[in-house]
Amino acid sequence: MVMREEAVKVFFLGVEVYAFGLYVALGLTLALTVLALLTRKEKWRDGTAALTGVLAMGLGFIVSRLFFGLMDESLGRIMPLWAMIRVNTGGFSMMGALLGACMGGILSARLMKKPPARLLDLLAPALLLFVACERLGEGYIEDFGVSRTLTDSLLEGTFLTVQNGYGWRLATYQLESFTALILSLVLLWDLTRNRRAGNTFVLFLLLYGAAQVLMESLRYDQHMTVKAFVKLQQIMDMLLLGAGVTVLAVRNWKTRRGLALAAVIVLAASVGIGVAIEFMIDRTKISHYVLYLCFLIDMAVPVWLGLRLRKEG
């Protein structure tokens, strides 16, 4: 196969490979290793991790490509089927990859006659390790995973920024990688607490969904963006957070109805406030530091209420 000339390449074990692809492979290796260790600790049947890995990678790859092909408008229209099949041209969705991997986990659990909710608990921290590595690989793609051009010199020249012809930009991919790593450790710790099956996965929905809403706001690479404003993966991240809060609200509706209702109302308000902040970021002269602090608080409140409901449940 002829390799793309513009892509950054490195030599690994004497073979020339794409730098981005190497980080993806490393992420998959870490994810599968952790998943194997967790299923062994649970004393599940041999082969559970292997089957889950095959199905998660396969469906993750397919759904990731479909999401990008059907939702990205960088070509001015939906990607035609013949172009979707040419996967070596690039174009994938992280949210599609995670959704497909979860679908693979559920299917694996059904085949192995194990509780799908518990397998998703084990899969969640493994997926975040994959995300952590993949995000680092994005640093080898030009102008990808970076923010708007910074308007002040506070972070210029630090390890958190990169420079191009227009100035310094925040290396959002580094923040996303570090966040995913920390969240993976949090989920691994949560697995030791003997939680109800599915609770660790719900924690993943709350924390990763909220964190990634902020990260997608920082990103300014036009990836899966419609009409230069609507970031489709940011919407999906909000849906993750919403799904976590909704599940917990329904679970506690009879016992803690007031708290559950408050969580749902706050979630809806957070969506509206978040949209307003997104408009203000590009259309007002208010400091971005102030706006993103408000955005952080906006996302933290429904997460906090969700954690309270999770504890009550």
Side-chain angles (χ1 to χ4, degrees):
M1 186 172 74
V2 178
M3 301 184 75
R4 297 174 64 175
E5 294 183 1
E6 72 277 11
V8 178
K9 309 173 194 67
V10 295
F11 281 91
F12 180 71
L13 300 179
V15 179
E16 189 178 34
V17 298
Y18 291 125
F20 174 74
L22 182 60
Y23 276 88
V24 170
L26 176 60
L28 290 173
T29 301
L30 286 175
L32 292 174
T33 300
V34 169
L35 181 62
L37 292 174
L38 291 175
T39 54
R40 179 178 297 180
K41 183 179 179 181
E42 295 278 321
K43 298 181 179 178
W44 283 10
R45 289 170 54 188
D46 291 341
T48 301
L51 178 62
T52 303
V54 169
L55 294 175
M57 285 192 294
L59 288 174
F61 184 83
I62 293 171
V63 178
S64 177
R65 182 64 171 175
L66 284 175
F67 268 36
F68 179 84
L70 295 174
M71 299 182 192
D72 184 79
E73 290 191 0
S74 58
L75 298 178
R77 64 187 182 113
I78 293 176
M79 184 182 291
L81 180 60
W82 63 265
M84 285 192 202
I85 297 174
R86 295 177 57 184
V87 295
N88 64 312
T89 60
F92 296 92
S93 160
M94 175 59 80
M95 288 303 301
L98 295 179
L99 176 61
C102 290
M103 293 166 58
I106 294 172
L107 179 58
S108 174
R110 297 294 187 191
L111 293 174
M112 301 298 285
K113 295 181 171 53
K114 294 294 181 181
R118 187 56 180 168
L119 184 51
L120 289 177
D121 285 341
L122 305 182
L123 188 59
L127 289 177
L128 285 175
L129 287 176
F130 162 72
V131 173
C133 291
E134 187 277 344
R135 293 302 188 192
L136 289 179
E138 290 181 6
Y140 292 93
I141 304 175
E142 186 177 4
D143 293 332
F144 194 72
V146 293
S147 73
R148 302 163 178 81
T149 301
L150 298 179
T151 56
D152 58 60
S153 59
L154 180 62
L155 298 174
E156 286 185 5
T158 67
F159 70 97
L160 290 175
T161 57
V162 293
Q163 189 177 26
N164 62 8
Y166 299 98
W168 292 93
R169 305 171 77 177
L170 188 66
T172 310
Y173 62 87
Q174 291 192 34
L175 296 176
E176 289 176 291
S177 176
F178 180 73
T179 300
L181 177 60
I182 295 300
L183 293 184
S184 179
L185 295 177
V186 170
L187 295 186
L188 289 172
W189 171 83
D190 193 67
L191 286 174
T192 67
R193 310 299 291 177
N194 297 319
R195 305 289 187 185
R196 170 178 174 175
N199 262 18
T200 298
F201 185 72
V202 170
L203 183 62
F204 161 76
L205 296 178
L206 293 175
L207 298 182
Y208 182 74
Q212 201 57 33
V213 168
L214 290 170
M215 295 301 172
E216 287 290 344
S217 177
L218 287 171
R219 293 174 70 108
Y220 204 63
D221 51 21
Q222 306 304 313
H223 180 61
M224 292 188 67
T225 300
V226 180
K227 299 187 184 302
F229 176 72
V230 181
K231 300 173 182 177
L232 296 176
Q233 295 203 122
Q234 188 179 30
I235 294 174
M236 288 183 258
D237 293 321
M238 193 66 206
L239 289 175
L240 289 187
L241 173 58
V245 172
T246 302
V247 167
L248 293 168
V250 171
R251 183 187 296 176
N252 291 274
W253 188 255
K254 293 183 179 180
T255 56
R256 295 300 304 274
R257 182 166 298 182
L259 184 60
L261 182 60
V264 174
I265 293 174
V266 166
L267 177 67
S270 295
V271 173
I273 294 172
V275 171
I277 293 175
E278 280 290 343
F279 273 103
M280 295 170 69
I281 289 172
D282 286 326
R283 292 166 175 79
T284 68
K285 294 183 179 180
I286 300 175
S287 169
H288 284 183
Y289 296 107
V290 173
L291 290 175
Y292 276 108
L293 177 60
C294 294
F295 212 159
L296 177 62
I297 295 172
D298 181 46
M299 291 294 102
V301 176
V303 171
W304 174 67
L305 290 172
L307 293 176
R308 285 194 60 187
L309 286 170
R310 180 173 174 267
K311 183 177 180 180
E312 293 293 336

